[in-house]
Every structure is written in structure tokens, then in C-alpha cells.
């Protein structure tokens, strides 16, 4: 084998190691796969800062190692800076034991009033992880609350994934790839922000991806 050929072969090997293939990129947190890009998915969180997010309430929202983290403070929302009427959302979350949090949607710009809540809570909670509620943050009882979800899964010490589909009053929730509930609200809230909630305990979020189904 000539020296020139050997050097060329080594160069090809080094490039193969140094430049990851698209599939390798797709497996990293806070990145879109080629297929997701083709389907119109966008990153709502790039893994570096909280640009395009607006906090409501005093809590220690921060970005660490490509994750949105919160552990202390008052009840608080971290909201997108634009409205999403109809959309799909994917988001990973990692909750400490006993943590109470959630993913809110169709939230008004002030972070109050009526909204939908996809709950993250312990299995003994009235509305455990995966439950869907329409709530009024001014203190009224929920318009509805559905808790027919993952009753035997308990709390996991690993990342989990919500996949939410919202079109008009139709709402479908998938947890860890499994469809767990579907509801059609006859008098739906029409539009609003998407928000991450801090209520109690530590929680982290990553891979926040949104696909608009209407404007």
C-alpha cells in the first residue's frame, strides 16, 4: 500500500468520525430529524437560552446542559412568545418524585384565565401525569378533568415524552408513544400560548417541538 493511498484512507476515516451523519444529529437533544423538517416541525427551544419564552411568576427557570430546568419559586409559567391555535407539540420531561408540573396550551398572553392543562403529577394525585384539564387560574373548578391514563405506570426516573395534537376542540394526548386519551371540547378555547408550568418540585424539559396546523 503506497504512502499516498494510506494517508488518503486515514483522512477518509477521520472525516467519517468527525462529521456525524444526519441520523446521528437526529438522535441528539433539541435537534430536528430530516423527516420532522420535511413535515413542518420547528424547534421551540434550541437548547441554549430562553429566547422566545416569557416567564409569568417568580421561579428559577434556567437552561442547563441543553435542558429547561426549574425547581424553586412560586407557581409559574414559562410561555412561548406567540399564539398557537391548532398545532402538534412534542416535549420530553424529566420530573423528580413528587413533582407537580404540566404543559399548558391556549393560554392568554397574561398567563391567566381559562386554559388547557396536560398534567404532570404523582400517581396518587387527583389528576396524575397525562390527565387533561380545562382550568381557570382565577380559582374556579375545572370545566372538565380526564384522568383515564397510565394508571399503573407510576413515576419514572427517566425522560418521558408527551405528543399533543390540538385541532379546534379536538385534543389527543400520547405519552411515551402510546395514545392515552382523546377529547372533543364542544366549546373550545380558540388560541393562545403554549406554556411549561412549575408548581412543586424539580422538573426539566427538552426537545420542545411544534408543528402548526393553522395560523
Amino acid at each position: 500500500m503506497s504512502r499516498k493511498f494510506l494517508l488518503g484512507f486515514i483522512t477518509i476515516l477521520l472525516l467519517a468520525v468527525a462529521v456525524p451523519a444526519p441520523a446521528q444529529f437526529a438522535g441528539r437533544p433539541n435537534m430536528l430529524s430530516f423527516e420532522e423538517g420535511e413535515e413542518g416541525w420547528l424547534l421551540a427551544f434550541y437548547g441554549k437560552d430562553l429566547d422566545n419564552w416569557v416567564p409569568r411568576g417568580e421561579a428559577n427557570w434556567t437552561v442547563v446542559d441543553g435542558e429547561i430546568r426549574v425547581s424553586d419559586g412560586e407557581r409559574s409559567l414559562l410561555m412561548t412568545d406567540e399564539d398557537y391555535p391548532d398545532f402538534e407539540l412534542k416535549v420530553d420531561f424529566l420530573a423528580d418524585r413528587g413533582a407537580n408540573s404540566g404543559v399548558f396550551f391556549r393560554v392568554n398572553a397574561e398567563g391567566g384565565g381559562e386554559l388547557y392543562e396536560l398534567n404532570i403529577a404523582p400517581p396518587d394525585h387527583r389528576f396524575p401525569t397525562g390527565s387533561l384539564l380545562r382550568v381557570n387560574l382565577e380559582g374556579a373548578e375545572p370545566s372538565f378533568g380526564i384522568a383515564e391514563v397510565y394508571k399503573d405506570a407510576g413515576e419514572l426516573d427517566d425522560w418521558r415524552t408527551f405528543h399533543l395534537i390540538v385541532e379546534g376542540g379536538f385534543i389527543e394526548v400520547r405519552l411515551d408513544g402510546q395514545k392515552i386519551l382523546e377529547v372533543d371540547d364542544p366549546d373550545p378555547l380558540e388560541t393562545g400560548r403554549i406554556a411549561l408550568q412549575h408548581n412543586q418540585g424539580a422538573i426539566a424539559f427538552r426537545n420542545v417541538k411544534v408543528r402548526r396546523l393553522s395560523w
Side-chain angles (χ1 to χ4, degrees):
M1 181 182 294
S2 70
R3 183 182 178 190
K4 183 176 180 181
F5 181 84
L6 180 61
L7 288 173
F9 181 70
I10 292 172
T11 300
I12 292 172
L13 285 177
L14 290 173
L15 286 173
V17 172
V19 182
Q24 290 173 297
F25 277 117
R28 295 182 183 179
N30 309 311
M31 299 194 75
L32 295 173
S33 68
F34 177 80
E35 291 76 12
E36 287 173 325
E38 288 287 294
E39 293 169 357
W41 288 91
L42 298 172
L43 286 174
F45 169 60
Y46 292 91
K48 295 181 179 180
D49 53 45
L50 295 177
D51 286 355
N52 306 320
W53 292 84
V54 180
R56 290 286 185 265
E58 296 297 327
N60 62 336
W61 296 101
T62 188
V63 175
V64 180
D65 296 333
E67 303 166 7
I68 298 174
R69 296 184 186 177
V70 63
S71 58
D72 295 299
E74 63 187 27
R75 289 185 182 181
S76 173
L77 297 181
L78 184 68
M79 308 194 308
T80 58
D81 63 356
E82 55 184 310
D83 289 352
Y84 292 87
D86 297 336
F87 64 91
E88 282 191 70
L89 172 73
K90 298 176 185 175
V91 56
D92 296 346
F93 62 94
L94 177 61
D96 276 7
R97 298 284 171 136
N100 190 325
S101 178
V103 177
F104 289 17
F105 54 101
R106 292 187 174 159
V107 185
N108 68 36
E110 288 71 41
E114 273 202 294
L115 50 81
Y116 296 103
E117 176 181 6
L118 181 53
N119 214 24
I120 299 170
D124 59 354
H125 191 275
R126 179 184 177 193
F127 296 107
T129 293
S131 300
L132 179 68
L133 302 89
R134 176 170 171 169
V135 299
N136 190 318
L137 295 186
E138 308 306 323
E141 276 293 304
S143 300
F144 63 73
I146 302 172
E148 298 174 359
V149 295
Y150 257 49
K151 293 179 180 177
D152 299 322
E155 295 173 292
L156 303 183
D157 298 319
D158 202 355
W159 288 95
R160 309 183 77 175
T161 302
F162 276 140
H163 183 174
L164 179 65
I165 303 170
V166 181
E167 291 187 89
F170 173 82
I171 303 169
E172 179 180 312
V173 177
R174 302 173 188 172
L175 177 59
D176 302 331
Q178 177 179 328
K179 179 178 173 180
I180 56 175
L181 66 83
E182 179 182 298
V183 66
D184 201 344
D185 188 348
D187 183 26
L189 305 174
E190 294 183 356
T191 190
R193 312 290 174 89
I194 297 169
L196 310 175
Q197 187 211 29
H198 170 256
N199 188 345
Q200 176 181 312
I203 189 164
F205 299 93
R206 69 181 186 188
N207 289 330
V208 188
K209 303 176 183 182
V210 185
R211 182 166 75 121
R212 287 186 179 274
L213 302 179
S214 71
W215 289 86

